[in-house]
Amino acid sequence: MTAASAAAGRRWLVLGLAILAYMLGLFHRVAPAALAQDLVQAFATSAVALGVLAATYFWVYTAMQLPCGVLADTLGPRRLLFGGGLIATVGAAMFGLAPAFGWAALGRTLIGFGTAVAFVAALKLIATWFEERRFATLTGVVVLAGNLTSAAAGGPFAWVLQAFPWRTVILLLAGLSAVVSVAALLFVRDAPPGHAAVRLASGDWRKGLAAVLANRASWPGFFANLGMGGAFLGFVGLWGVPYLVEVHGMTRLHAANHASLMLASFACGGFLWGALSDRLRLRRPVFVLGAAMFALGWIPFLAGMKLPSGAGYLLCVAIGLAAAGLTISWACAKEVNLPQYSGMATALVNTGCFLGPALLQPIFGWVLDWDRAAAAPAAHTLAEWQRGLWVLFGFSLFGLAAALFVSETRAQNIRPR
């Protein structure tokens, strides 16, 4: 083995462990979509309560992004991955063993805390271990791997739930989190061999965070992710499966397969959009194109069209591919801020990606149950679902509007304004 191949293998081992941690987090993120009926039966929850339970992950994940960015730039991604994995392990075990709704919500809260670190840590490792010109492409690789796991939390997970109790599967995930956490401690390093890890001092991170927040070019990606991420993750992470079951008459497994396909397309799209942007050396046009296609993709559902099975699958593919255009946001944020602030810059726009579904999931549930009698049947009407879809469409348009204000960096770091 040559020195070059050994170095490449080390780079991919380091990034691979961060990706594994991210994959586990994304599985937890969308698992409530396939678990929805099981959770309702286990904890006797309403649509609003189920929305709150699922959104708990997003609220914590959202609140943790900027702190994770600070920790990535100060403590380094190695410690971040180890500590986060341990917290996720405890949270998953608590969720799997929860005797009541409150314990389940607390478990989801800890899962959100623990898994919040993985994506920011992965981006910090990419910025440190790999060439600048490959940042968007490798970000797409992370999105690809992670969201293929999200896809497995849809149809394949629904299939697993037919054979094993949901609590058993969640406890197995807790064990996997523990293994990845220890592996990160043993094998991940904050910088390549021969390079000193650059960490901000305790006072410098405050200055850096203030600079990132004060930089107007940092914010369009945040708001674009709030709209696009909110609409996509809010739908596919919770409400998509019940909608397809109640409005389109699908079985839970069939509906979960649609959600899985949407997530798989998002995963592939993340790599494709990132590679396209790096190859063209363009950010804003690629971002805007994805956001526009994403907003248009909801119109058939919004119009109440009953699509044949093949057309429904194609629509899910189109929506997933288009939503992945938000992959460009992290490169945009990194490139308009100083390199030593890359953790905080990418964490800021990532916050928008999860604040969106944290807001949309319970709002969608509230709109769905609005003016609905407590004794009404469990199934919702088409009109009730349409109200929720309008909220989703509004989030999509907001994301498109924000993407129009993204700074063009030509795929390289530029001096902050």
Side-chain angles (χ1 to χ4, degrees), residues 214-291:
N215 184 357
R216 289 181 296 175
S218 299
W219 289 96
F222 168 87
F223 289 113
N225 281 359
L226 188 148
M228 295 176 68
F232 181 75
L233 295 175
F235 182 80
V236 77
L238 180 61
W239 295 116
V241 170
Y243 164 75
L244 293 172
V245 168
E246 295 185 7
V247 174
H248 295 271
M250 298 182 186
T251 64
R252 182 172 74 163
L253 182 58
H254 192 201
N257 284 335
H258 280 72
S260 293
L261 185 60
M262 196 176 287
L263 285 165
S265 301
F266 180 87
C268 296
F271 174 75
L272 294 174
W273 288 113
L276 177 65
S277 180
D278 277 349
R279 179 171 291 275
L280 296 178
R281 295 289 190 266
L282 293 173
R283 299 302 191 211
R284 186 194 299 123
V286 178
F287 202 167
V288 171
L289 177 61

Side-chain angles (χ1 to χ4, degrees), residues 2 11 27-28 31 45 79 82 95 110 122 157 210 270 289 296 307 311 319 376 380 384 409 415:
T2 66
R11 284 198 300 268
F27 194 98
H28 281 295
T45 58
R79 297 178 187 177
F82 173 66
F95 183 55
L110 291 177
F157 188 36
L289 177 61
L296 291 173
L307 300 171
I319 291 174
H380 294 83
E384 288 170 335
T409 63
R415 184 179 298 275

Side-chain angles (χ1 to χ4, degrees), residues 66-111:
L66 280 177
C68 285
V70 171
L71 292 172
D73 289 337
T74 53
L75 296 180
R78 174 173 174 259
R79 297 178 187 177
L80 207 56
L81 289 170
F82 173 66
L86 291 183
I87 295 172
T89 298
V90 174
M94 186 176 294
F95 183 55
L97 297 171
F101 180 83
W103 286 102
L106 180 58
R108 287 283 292 178
T109 299
L110 291 177
I111 291 171

Side-chain angles (χ1 to χ4, degrees), residues 66-167:
L66 280 177
C68 285
V70 171
L71 292 172
D73 289 337
T74 53
L75 296 180
R78 174 173 174 259
R79 297 178 187 177
L80 207 56
L81 289 170
F82 173 66
L86 291 183
I87 295 172
T89 298
V90 174
M94 186 176 294
F95 183 55
L97 297 171
F101 180 83
W103 286 102
L106 180 58
R108 287 283 292 178
T109 299
L110 291 177
I111 291 171
F113 270 114
T115 59
V117 309
F119 188 70
V120 173
L123 296 188
K124 184 69 175 180
L125 289 170
I126 292 172
T128 305
W129 281 76
F130 294 87
E131 299 91 340
E132 181 183 25
R133 61 184 175 81
R134 301 176 64 189
F135 187 86
T137 302
L138 291 173
T139 300
V141 170
V142 177
V143 172
L144 172 63
N147 284 278
L148 285 178
T149 306
S150 292
F157 188 36
W159 178 82
V160 170
L161 291 172
Q162 294 179 344
F164 300 97
W166 69 271
R167 293 180 183 273

